[in-house]
mmCIF file with all atom_site columns, all heavy atoms in Angstrom:
data_model
loop_
_atom_site.group_PDB
_atom_site.id
_atom_site.type_symbol
_atom_site.label_atom_id
_atom_site.label_alt_id
_atom_site.label_comp_id
_atom_site.label_asym_id
_atom_site.label_entity_id
_atom_site.label_seq_id
_atom_site.pdbx_PDB_ins_code
_atom_site.Cartn_x
_atom_site.Cartn_y
_atom_site.Cartn_z
_atom_site.occupancy
_atom_site.B_iso_or_equiv
_atom_site.pdbx_formal_charge
_atom_site.auth_seq_id
_atom_site.auth_comp_id
_atom_site.auth_asym_id
_atom_site.auth_atom_id
_atom_site.pdbx_PDB_model_num
ATOM 1   N N   . SER A 1 8   ? 225.520 102.093 51.908 1.00 0.00 ? 8   SER A N   1
ATOM 2   C CA  . SER A 1 8   ? 224.958 100.848 52.404 1.00 0.00 ? 8   SER A CA  1
ATOM 3   C C   . SER A 1 8   ? 224.839 100.875 53.920 1.00 0.00 ? 8   SER A C   1
ATOM 4   O O   . SER A 1 8   ? 223.902 100.318 54.477 1.00 0.00 ? 8   SER A O   1
ATOM 5   C CB  . SER A 1 8   ? 225.719 99.629  51.897 1.00 0.00 ? 8   SER A CB  1
ATOM 6   O OG  . SER A 1 8   ? 227.064 99.816  52.110 1.00 0.00 ? 8   SER A OG  1
ATOM 7   N N   . ALA A 1 29  ? 207.934 106.832 55.956 1.00 0.00 ? 29  ALA A N   1
ATOM 8   C CA  . ALA A 1 29  ? 208.052 107.498 54.656 1.00 0.00 ? 29  ALA A CA  1
ATOM 9   C C   . ALA A 1 29  ? 207.503 108.909 54.730 1.00 0.00 ? 29  ALA A C   1
ATOM 10  O O   . ALA A 1 29  ? 207.986 109.810 54.065 1.00 0.00 ? 29  ALA A O   1
ATOM 11  C CB  . ALA A 1 29  ? 207.315 106.691 53.598 1.00 0.00 ? 29  ALA A CB  1
ATOM 12  N N   . GLY A 1 53  ? 200.475 96.135  34.828 1.00 0.00 ? 53  GLY A N   1
ATOM 13  C CA  . GLY A 1 53  ? 201.354 95.166  34.187 1.00 0.00 ? 53  GLY A CA  1
ATOM 14  C C   . GLY A 1 53  ? 202.692 95.023  34.889 1.00 0.00 ? 53  GLY A C   1
ATOM 15  O O   . GLY A 1 53  ? 202.992 95.690  35.891 1.00 0.00 ? 53  GLY A O   1
ATOM 16  N N   . GLY A 1 69  ? 219.206 76.679  18.448 1.00 0.00 ? 69  GLY A N   1
ATOM 17  C CA  . GLY A 1 69  ? 219.748 77.431  17.318 1.00 0.00 ? 69  GLY A CA  1
ATOM 18  C C   . GLY A 1 69  ? 219.977 78.905  17.579 1.00 0.00 ? 69  GLY A C   1
ATOM 19  O O   . GLY A 1 69  ? 220.322 79.661  16.660 1.00 0.00 ? 69  GLY A O   1
ATOM 20  N N   . ARG A 1 77  ? 228.568 87.488  24.867 1.00 0.00 ? 77  ARG A N   1
ATOM 21  C CA  . ARG A 1 77  ? 230.019 87.699  24.741 1.00 0.00 ? 77  ARG A CA  1
ATOM 22  C C   . ARG A 1 77  ? 230.549 88.483  25.949 1.00 0.00 ? 77  ARG A C   1
ATOM 23  O O   . ARG A 1 77  ? 231.566 88.136  26.539 1.00 0.00 ? 77  ARG A O   1
ATOM 24  C CB  . ARG A 1 77  ? 230.307 88.447  23.432 1.00 0.00 ? 77  ARG A CB  1
ATOM 25  C CG  . ARG A 1 77  ? 231.747 88.816  23.187 1.00 0.00 ? 77  ARG A CG  1
ATOM 26  C CD  . ARG A 1 77  ? 232.629 87.632  22.857 1.00 0.00 ? 77  ARG A CD  1
ATOM 27  N NE  . ARG A 1 77  ? 232.237 86.936  21.636 1.00 0.00 ? 77  ARG A NE  1
ATOM 28  C CZ  . ARG A 1 77  ? 232.701 87.209  20.416 1.00 0.00 ? 77  ARG A CZ  1
ATOM 29  N NH1 . ARG A 1 77  ? 233.602 88.163  20.251 1.00 0.00 ? 77  ARG A NH1 1
ATOM 30  N NH2 . ARG A 1 77  ? 232.297 86.503  19.364 1.00 0.00 ? 77  ARG A NH2 1
ATOM 31  N N   . SER A 1 115 ? 198.848 93.158  31.570 1.00 0.00 ? 115 SER A N   1
ATOM 32  C CA  . SER A 1 115 ? 199.854 93.400  30.532 1.00 0.00 ? 115 SER A CA  1
ATOM 33  C C   . SER A 1 115 ? 201.185 92.794  30.971 1.00 0.00 ? 115 SER A C   1
ATOM 34  O O   . SER A 1 115 ? 201.568 92.912  32.141 1.00 0.00 ? 115 SER A O   1
ATOM 35  C CB  . SER A 1 115 ? 200.015 94.915  30.316 1.00 0.00 ? 115 SER A CB  1
ATOM 36  O OG  . SER A 1 115 ? 201.035 95.188  29.378 1.00 0.00 ? 115 SER A OG  1
ATOM 37  N N   . PRO A 1 127 ? 219.948 84.286  14.027 1.00 0.00 ? 127 PRO A N   1
ATOM 38  C CA  . PRO A 1 127 ? 221.161 84.032  14.835 1.00 0.00 ? 127 PRO A CA  1
ATOM 39  C C   . PRO A 1 127 ? 222.336 84.961  14.533 1.00 0.00 ? 127 PRO A C   1
ATOM 40  O O   . PRO A 1 127 ? 223.102 85.283  15.438 1.00 0.00 ? 127 PRO A O   1
ATOM 41  C CB  . PRO A 1 127 ? 221.487 82.576  14.509 1.00 0.00 ? 127 PRO A CB  1
ATOM 42  C CG  . PRO A 1 127 ? 220.135 81.979  14.171 1.00 0.00 ? 127 PRO A CG  1
ATOM 43  C CD  . PRO A 1 127 ? 219.370 83.066  13.478 1.00 0.00 ? 127 PRO A CD  1
ATOM 44  N N   . THR A 1 128 ? 222.464 85.411  13.284 1.00 0.00 ? 128 THR A N   1
ATOM 45  C CA  . THR A 1 128 ? 223.558 86.340  12.995 1.00 0.00 ? 128 THR A CA  1
ATOM 46  C C   . THR A 1 128 ? 223.032 87.745  12.669 1.00 0.00 ? 128 THR A C   1
ATOM 47  O O   . THR A 1 128 ? 223.759 88.586  12.154 1.00 0.00 ? 128 THR A O   1
ATOM 48  C CB  . THR A 1 128 ? 224.436 85.836  11.833 1.00 0.00 ? 128 THR A CB  1
ATOM 49  O OG1 . THR A 1 128 ? 223.574 85.631  10.694 1.00 0.00 ? 128 THR A OG1 1
ATOM 50  C CG2 . THR A 1 128 ? 225.142 84.542  12.187 1.00 0.00 ? 128 THR A CG2 1
ATOM 51  N N   . TRP A 1 174 ? 226.109 99.427  16.451 1.00 0.00 ? 174 TRP A N   1
ATOM 52  C CA  . TRP A 1 174 ? 225.145 100.486 16.114 1.00 0.00 ? 174 TRP A CA  1
ATOM 53  C C   . TRP A 1 174 ? 225.748 101.707 15.404 1.00 0.00 ? 174 TRP A C   1
ATOM 54  O O   . TRP A 1 174 ? 225.020 102.390 14.663 1.00 0.00 ? 174 TRP A O   1
ATOM 55  C CB  . TRP A 1 174 ? 224.356 100.901 17.358 1.00 0.00 ? 174 TRP A CB  1
ATOM 56  C CG  . TRP A 1 174 ? 223.334 99.851  17.724 1.00 0.00 ? 174 TRP A CG  1
ATOM 57  C CD1 . TRP A 1 174 ? 223.389 98.977  18.774 1.00 0.00 ? 174 TRP A CD1 1
ATOM 58  C CD2 . TRP A 1 174 ? 222.122 99.544  17.010 1.00 0.00 ? 174 TRP A CD2 1
ATOM 59  N NE1 . TRP A 1 174 ? 222.291 98.136  18.756 1.00 0.00 ? 174 TRP A NE1 1
ATOM 60  C CE2 . TRP A 1 174 ? 221.496 98.467  17.696 1.00 0.00 ? 174 TRP A CE2 1
ATOM 61  C CE3 . TRP A 1 174 ? 221.502 100.051 15.870 1.00 0.00 ? 174 TRP A CE3 1
ATOM 62  C CZ2 . TRP A 1 174 ? 220.282 97.916  17.265 1.00 0.00 ? 174 TRP A CZ2 1
ATOM 63  C CZ3 . TRP A 1 174 ? 220.299 99.504  15.448 1.00 0.00 ? 174 TRP A CZ3 1
ATOM 64  C CH2 . TRP A 1 174 ? 219.703 98.450  16.136 1.00 0.00 ? 174 TRP A CH2 1
ATOM 65  N N   . SER A 1 259 ? 206.923 103.442 22.524 1.00 0.00 ? 259 SER A N   1
ATOM 66  C CA  . SER A 1 259 ? 208.318 103.487 22.950 1.00 0.00 ? 259 SER A CA  1
ATOM 67  C C   . SER A 1 259 ? 208.460 102.927 24.351 1.00 0.00 ? 259 SER A C   1
ATOM 68  O O   . SER A 1 259 ? 207.473 102.683 25.044 1.00 0.00 ? 259 SER A O   1
ATOM 69  C CB  . SER A 1 259 ? 208.801 104.943 22.931 1.00 0.00 ? 259 SER A CB  1
ATOM 70  O OG  . SER A 1 259 ? 208.010 105.715 23.823 1.00 0.00 ? 259 SER A OG  1
ATOM 71  N N   . TYR A 1 261 ? 211.233 104.359 26.509 1.00 0.00 ? 261 TYR A N   1
ATOM 72  C CA  . TYR A 1 261 ? 212.410 105.179 26.784 1.00 0.00 ? 261 TYR A CA  1
ATOM 73  C C   . TYR A 1 261 ? 212.704 105.235 28.280 1.00 0.00 ? 261 TYR A C   1
ATOM 74  O O   . TYR A 1 261 ? 211.785 105.144 29.098 1.00 0.00 ? 261 TYR A O   1
ATOM 75  C CB  . TYR A 1 261 ? 212.183 106.619 26.303 1.00 0.00 ? 261 TYR A CB  1
ATOM 76  C CG  . TYR A 1 261 ? 211.881 106.755 24.824 1.00 0.00 ? 261 TYR A CG  1
ATOM 77  C CD1 . TYR A 1 261 ? 210.827 107.541 24.393 1.00 0.00 ? 261 TYR A CD1 1
ATOM 78  C CD2 . TYR A 1 261 ? 212.655 106.112 23.872 1.00 0.00 ? 261 TYR A CD2 1
ATOM 79  C CE1 . TYR A 1 261 ? 210.550 107.688 23.039 1.00 0.00 ? 261 TYR A CE1 1
ATOM 80  C CE2 . TYR A 1 261 ? 212.389 106.253 22.515 1.00 0.00 ? 261 TYR A CE2 1
ATOM 81  C CZ  . TYR A 1 261 ? 211.334 107.043 22.105 1.00 0.00 ? 261 TYR A CZ  1
ATOM 82  O OH  . TYR A 1 261 ? 211.058 107.179 20.769 1.00 0.00 ? 261 TYR A OH  1
ATOM 83  N N   . GLU A 1 413 ? 208.267 101.080 32.860 1.00 0.00 ? 413 GLU A N   1
ATOM 84  C CA  . GLU A 1 413 ? 208.969 100.486 34.005 1.00 0.00 ? 413 GLU A CA  1
ATOM 85  C C   . GLU A 1 413 ? 208.996 101.467 35.155 1.00 0.00 ? 413 GLU A C   1
ATOM 86  O O   . GLU A 1 413 ? 209.133 102.679 34.942 1.00 0.00 ? 413 GLU A O   1
ATOM 87  C CB  . GLU A 1 413 ? 210.457 100.179 33.689 1.00 0.00 ? 413 GLU A CB  1
ATOM 88  C CG  . GLU A 1 413 ? 210.689 99.013  32.799 1.00 0.00 ? 413 GLU A CG  1
ATOM 89  C CD  . GLU A 1 413 ? 212.189 98.785  32.535 1.00 0.00 ? 413 GLU A CD  1
ATOM 90  O OE1 . GLU A 1 413 ? 213.037 99.187  33.362 1.00 0.00 ? 413 GLU A OE1 1
ATOM 91  O OE2 . GLU A 1 413 ? 212.488 98.211  31.484 1.00 0.00 ? 413 GLU A OE2 1
ATOM 92  N N   . LEU A 1 422 ? 213.667 85.182  51.776 1.00 0.00 ? 422 LEU A N   1
ATOM 93  C CA  . LEU A 1 422 ? 212.640 84.354  52.423 1.00 0.00 ? 422 LEU A CA  1
ATOM 94  C C   . LEU A 1 422 ? 212.795 84.374  53.938 1.00 0.00 ? 422 LEU A C   1
ATOM 95  O O   . LEU A 1 422 ? 213.912 84.222  54.450 1.00 0.00 ? 422 LEU A O   1
ATOM 96  C CB  . LEU A 1 422 ? 212.778 82.911  51.939 1.00 0.00 ? 422 LEU A CB  1
ATOM 97  C CG  . LEU A 1 422 ? 212.379 82.638  50.493 1.00 0.00 ? 422 LEU A CG  1
ATOM 98  C CD1 . LEU A 1 422 ? 212.917 81.283  50.058 1.00 0.00 ? 422 LEU A CD1 1
ATOM 99  C CD2 . LEU A 1 422 ? 210.860 82.682  50.346 1.00 0.00 ? 422 LEU A CD2 1
ATOM 100 N N   . GLY A 1 451 ? 194.993 115.556 34.412 1.00 0.00 ? 451 GLY A N   1
ATOM 101 C CA  . GLY A 1 451 ? 194.757 115.555 32.967 1.00 0.00 ? 451 GLY A CA  1
ATOM 102 C C   . GLY A 1 451 ? 195.693 114.713 32.124 1.00 0.00 ? 451 GLY A C   1
ATOM 103 O O   . GLY A 1 451 ? 195.494 114.623 30.909 1.00 0.00 ? 451 GLY A O   1
#
Side-chain angles (χ1 to χ4, degrees):
S8 50
R77 177 71 62 91
S115 176
T128 56
W174 286 107
S259 60
Y261 301 133
E413 286 180 25
L422 289 165

